[in-house]
Amino acid sequence: NSGDTITIGWTVGNFGTATTDTGQWSDRVTLSSNDTYGDADDRFVGTFDHLADTIDHLHSLGVTHLHLMPPYEVPTPRNDGGYAVQNYRSTRPDLGTIDDLTEAISDLHGAGIGVVLDFVANHTADTHPWAVAAKGGDPFYSDFYFFFPDRTAPDAYAASLREIFPDRPGDAFTWREDVGGGSWVWSTFYEFQWDLDYRNPNVTAAMAGELLGIANLGPDDATVKVVLVDREELYTDQHRLIAMRDLAPLAGLLREWSANGQGDSHDHS
């Protein structure tokens, strides 16, 4: 239908996922990548500078928006498909530079195709400069994350946490010898992804800066991933919940972005 929006998902390690919806982000259907895009090994595009070469093909499919899942710098080999961000201000070297990405976004805009970028808000990689500083004992950055000297608090919280990955051993806490002589760190997804503590206003300010940096690349839209809002009283009222009041400054930035004609921003909980 002429009113439909087709979004192509570009993932780290899989540039061939396609979704389509009828104007509602919650009503997407995954299409076959093998039939349309060749395979799932980064061969549809390859690098940022080849995005412009796909414009005629995207037009033939009726594509109006291209969703680039996290293209930011990540550690290797463990990076959760791009969601363990090591640096929001640079990109994966195998995809190209941040300038190449900006130019690709401009080329797509020139062809009437909007661009959506992911903003990974829940955590950083344990190789992110903030995490590295925390491991080095910097008290400012140590307060960016959740560290515990023993299992007392983690055991209490774990009782009310949902299971994210059934095949992951243990729970949402990882023992790290390289933090303060040994600490448990909150790592909801994988042990190399450290949850950010949005109760700390310095975290909110720092992440707002990263979001503005992404906005300055020129995308029309941003999806905020992953905001965990749960669950039991101990969990929500005391520690791990990324509360709406703590995310309010980021939400305000997204609303202003949208109001200035940059498109709608979406929170994927």
Side-chain angles (χ1 to χ4, degrees):
N1 297 331
S2 60
D4 290 357
T5 299
I6 299 177
T7 304
I8 307 301
W10 179 4
T11 66
V12 174
N14 180 357
F15 289 0
T17 301
T19 60
T20 182
D21 63 57
T22 56
Q24 298 296 322
W25 284 80
S26 61
D27 191 29
R28 297 181 181 181
V29 178
T30 300
L31 306 177
S32 168
S33 62
N34 290 331
D35 293 343
T36 308
Y37 305 110
D39 58 41
D41 292 323
D42 297 2
R43 297 176 188 170
F44 172 57
V45 174
T47 56
F48 297 136
D49 57 357
H50 289 150
L51 267 173
D53 299 337
T54 70
I55 287 175
D56 288 344
H57 181 54
L58 295 176
H59 277 160
S60 73
L61 298 173
V63 170
T64 60
H65 288 78
L66 194 68
H67 180 185
L68 308 184
M69 297 176 75
Y72 316 112
E73 181 184 333
V74 293
T76 56
R78 301 189 306 168
N79 54 54
D80 190 21
Y83 285 91
V85 178
Q86 180 171 280
N87 188 342
Y88 295 89
R89 303 300 180 104
S90 64
T91 54
R92 284 174 49 196
D94 58 314
L95 299 181
T97 68
I98 200 77
D99 290 336
D100 294 333
L101 174 58
T102 303
E103 184 174 351
I105 291 172
S106 178
D107 289 342
L108 290 163
H109 283 164
I113 297 175
V115 176
V116 182
L117 289 177
D118 277 351
F119 179 58
V120 184
N122 183 72
H123 49 256
T124 71
D126 62 358
T127 53
H128 190 285
W130 303 341
V132 171
K135 285 185 280 188
D138 187 319
F140 181 81
Y141 289 108
S142 293
D143 286 342
F144 272 42
Y145 304 96
F146 297 87
F147 298 124
F148 308 94
D150 55 45
R151 285 292 308 190
T152 303
D155 284 344
Y157 302 142
S160 62
L161 298 178
R162 67 173 179 174
E163 189 175 54
I164 301 297
F165 299 125
D167 58 345
R168 174 184 170 178
D171 53 27
F173 301 90
T174 303
W175 177 255
R176 296 291 297 248
E177 293 283 354
D178 54 351
V179 178
S183 293
W184 291 94
V185 58
W186 206 312
S187 50
T188 296
F189 291 89
Y190 287 108
E191 65 274 11
F192 51 84
Q193 293 167 297
W194 290 5
D195 290 30
L196 290 163
D197 185 355
Y198 279 92
R199 298 171 304 163
N200 180 352
N202 292 320
V203 170
T204 305
M207 290 299 283
E210 301 307 299
L211 178 58
L212 288 173
I214 291 170
N216 285 336
L217 299 176
D220 304 85
D221 202 346
T223 59
V224 179
K225 298 183 178 178
V226 178
V227 180
L228 297 178
V229 183
D230 227 353
R231 341 269 204 234
E232 304 298 330
E233 182 176 351
L234 174 64
Y235 188 37
T236 57
D237 288 354
Q238 293 191 31
H239 272 278
R240 176 57 192 89
L241 174 64
I242 300 179
M244 290 300 101
R245 65 178 182 276
D246 297 325
L247 284 173
L250 290 181
L253 285 175
L254 290 169
R255 284 194 299 270
E256 184 174 351
W257 184 355
S258 177
N260 287 333
Q262 292 291 340
D264 296 324
S265 300
H266 305 276
D267 169 5
H268 287 222
S269 299

